[in-house]
Amino acid sequence: MTLHDDATLVLKGYAPGGEAGADQTELRQAYLDHLALHADGMWKACGAGHLTASALVIDPERERVLLTLHRKLRMWLQMGGHCEERDATLEAAALREATEESGITGLTLLPGGPVRLDRHPIPSPCHWHLDVQYAALAPAGAAERISEESLELRWFGYEEVASVADASVVRLLEATRARL
């Protein structure tokens, strides 16, 4: 099975709930349409946009999240990025990105698949990121380590996130908390 096939299956099985259900259902269909139209829709080279994978890292006590001050965007974000050929699944891509960018080994994704979908424009030549967002629990005693993609890593209490991050991160946090 290819990563494209896995993404299609994951998205077909994604069942958004709560207040954002209708918006998430529309996004899911847009992602599926994108994959149906673009055999290269998983890769950065796809000019129409591409799927990405991210994960919101949660501390073991489930009271804080680890955000990265993204080097290029200069925004506090969850860990995430482009899928790579070595990624067998979207889950594997999200876990790899979270591990690489946080420096934390032993992360585990919350069960139940993606927490949210978020589509956002980016500069040319890519145009769109169609982000499949997961949540990951850090193990007890985890020590973060900054990567070259970040200016800073910092743990934030849930109530602090809205004051430092944009609405997409806040929505991801809310959806994650509903699943905890």
Side-chain angles (χ1 to χ4, degrees), residues 17-18 55-59 61-67 110-111 113-116 133-137 156-163 168-180:
L56 183 66
V57 176
I58 305 156
D59 75 324
E61 292 78 26
R62 300 178 185 206
E63 296 173 354
R64 301 176 302 158
V65 295
L66 183 65
L67 299 180
L110 290 185
V115 175
R116 275 191 59 80
Q133 301 176 326
Y134 292 84
L137 284 172
F156 291 96
Y158 294 159
E159 67 287 345
E160 297 174 284
V161 172
S163 66
S168 69
V169 178
V170 173
R171 288 189 297 267
L172 175 56
L173 174 59
E174 289 169 355
T176 297
R177 290 183 73 187
R179 193 176 285 185
L180 290 174

Side-chain angles (χ1 to χ4, degrees), residues 97-113:
E97 284 288 338
T99 301
E100 287 175 0
E101 292 186 8
S102 71
I104 298 173
T105 57
L107 294 171
T108 56
L109 295 180
L110 290 185

